[in-house]
Amino acid sequence: MPLTLLPDLGDLLRLHPQFNSGTVVELLRHLRANGVGGAEVLWASGPDPDHPLRDALPAARFTVRELPGSGADAGADHAQLVSFLEQYPQGRARLREAAQAEQAFVAILTAPLTAPRALSAEVLAAARDYHAALRAALGEGPGTHWRARRLEEVAAALAPVEDGLVLVPLDDLPDLLERLPGARLPDLTGFEPGETSRLRALADRAWQLREDDDLAALLDALERETGDTVTPKAELEAAAAGVYLAVGDLDSARALLERAAHALTDEVPRSLPGLVLARLGQVRDAQGDRELAERTYRAVLALNYVPQVAREAAEAGLREPFRLEGLGPAPQGPASPG
């Protein structure tokens, strides 16, 4: 079987109810059931340690193998060029052109997406146009060569691989398909998102509260579900606690967070313990239980892995007590688990 390249949206997976990290898990299961790939996924996406699939894939019993070309230093030349161009009027004009191209592509990626839509000719053409616009704005040089080098590293690592499933940034798909003639996009025939995708969408939505949300309906949905391996019950309880906290019901928020904390095991997604304990520390602080709050913050910092937003919340909580009026987005948004 040839290599199969799967599109990755990075943090944007948290925004799409029909194409989230749970959907990717279900797509992988669908492909495996049809004889494509196995339990290993080759990772050629970004280096972000808080990427939602770094939770979801291991939780779903997929092994992730890193490939070259996704290192954190890949864009160093690009960052250096931006710093240089910002010093000159012509350079700033070029950066504005590049920013406009990026905004146009982001608008496509943030519009409602499904897996078929992400792999459509229209979206892949938009990815090509985006990078062509960047080259036109920044010129062939440090602003674009870093990406070419990264793509060559990924292609070289994949060239000897005869079959497998590879996760790559969506905008890299057209270029990698050209560099890897034997690779293909996944066959979505018969694929439909299921319960894993639906639960993940519910949790992602709950971690990102909006002013116009129907909080009662959201709480009802969260409390009704039993969870699964990708989105366990402990996460649904923690997300519900965030809703209670948003309306100032500290007792209900604390009860749910303490229950979620007691349910934490080595089997839950790796972001969840840090997020649950950081928020629990804040709730204990807000109730005046400072000593226990400090112990909870220290427990966060003692974990082997802590999402950045949870680490920052714990460190801030140790510096000064958390107050309800200081409630920020943590642990909502980009650092919510899965």
Side-chain angles (χ1 to χ4, degrees):
M1 298 290 292
L3 280 174
T4 300
L5 306 185
L6 303 174
D8 174 35
L9 296 179
D11 241 13
L12 294 180
L13 287 169
R14 304 180 198 277
L15 301 181
H16 296 292
Q18 297 184 72
F19 189 35
N20 52 54
S21 57
T23 316
V24 175
V25 165
E26 290 184 321
L27 177 55
L28 289 167
R29 289 170 175 164
H30 170 80
L31 293 171
R32 185 169 60 184
N34 285 277
V36 179
E40 181 179 76
V41 178
L42 303 178
W43 184 281
S45 197
D48 180 11
D50 295 340
H51 190 299
L53 286 173
R54 293 189 182 276
D55 272 358
L57 294 182
R61 307 295 186 267
F62 284 96
T63 301
V64 176
R65 178 155 67 92
E66 302 278 346
L67 290 176
S70 57
D73 59 345
D77 287 348
H78 176 69
Q80 199 169 37
L81 175 72
V82 169
S83 178
F84 174 77
L85 290 177
E86 285 175 341
Q87 301 176 49
Y88 304 97
Q90 300 93 331
R92 290 193 290 273
R94 287 192 170 201
L95 290 176
R96 284 194 296 273
E97 292 176 15
Q100 289 170 358
E102 183 172 358
Q103 290 169 4
F105 188 51
V106 167
I108 291 174
L109 296 183
T110 53
L113 275 183
T114 62
R117 169 67 178 164
L119 293 169
S120 68
E122 181 183 353
V123 170
L124 295 182
R128 293 189 191 92
D129 292 345
Y130 162 58
H131 286 294
L134 286 186
R135 289 192 297 272
L138 301 178
E140 295 287 351
T144 55
H145 283 179
W146 67 272
R147 179 173 178 268
R149 286 200 305 270
R150 179 173 58 78
L151 289 172
E152 292 299 337
E153 287 180 10
V154 172
L158 291 174
V161 181
E162 295 182 357
D163 64 76
L165 298 166
V166 190
L167 192 74
V168 303
L170 185 150
D171 60 303
D172 284 349
L173 281 176
D175 293 289
L176 283 176
L177 287 169
E178 290 179 3
R179 286 169 167 80
L180 297 164
R184 67 177 184 181
L185 297 177
D187 181 358
L188 299 183
T189 303
F191 173 69
E192 291 289 342
E195 284 299 294
T196 296
S197 180
R198 185 186 66 81
L199 276 175
R200 189 63 255 156
L202 173 63
D204 285 341
R205 188 67 191 81
W207 287 111
Q208 302 173 67
L209 294 178
R210 300 170 188 166
E211 290 185 1
D212 59 348
D213 280 340
D214 184 340
L215 299 183
L218 188 56
L219 278 173
D220 181 63
L222 290 166
E223 293 171 352
R224 186 171 58 244
E225 301 293 346
T226 57
D228 64 6
T229 57
V230 173
T231 309
K233 181 64 174 177
E235 181 182 351
L236 297 172
E237 291 176 335
V243 179
Y244 281 116
L245 188 58
V247 298
D249 186 346
L250 294 175
D251 289 340
S252 295
R254 180 167 179 167
L256 281 172
L257 286 166
E258 289 180 341
R259 192 160 69 197
H262 285 129
L264 295 175
T265 68
D266 292 339
E267 301 299 315
V268 302
R270 64 176 191 156
S271 293
L272 191 55
L275 293 169
V276 168
L277 293 176
R279 186 59 99 197
L280 179 56
Q282 290 177 328
V283 171
R284 287 168 168 170
D285 243 349
Q287 290 187 314
D289 200 344
R290 179 59 179 166
E291 182 179 354
L292 188 54
E294 289 179 329
R295 286 163 50 192
T296 310
Y297 295 139
R298 292 192 183 97
V300 173
L301 300 179
L303 294 169
N304 290 330
Y305 167 75
V306 184
Q308 181 180 351
V309 69
R311 179 178 297 279
E312 290 174 353
E315 290 172 345
L318 286 173
R319 286 193 299 271
E320 58 182 272
F322 174 83
R323 295 289 178 259
L324 189 57
E325 61 270 19
L327 180 63
Q332 302 169 9
S336 67

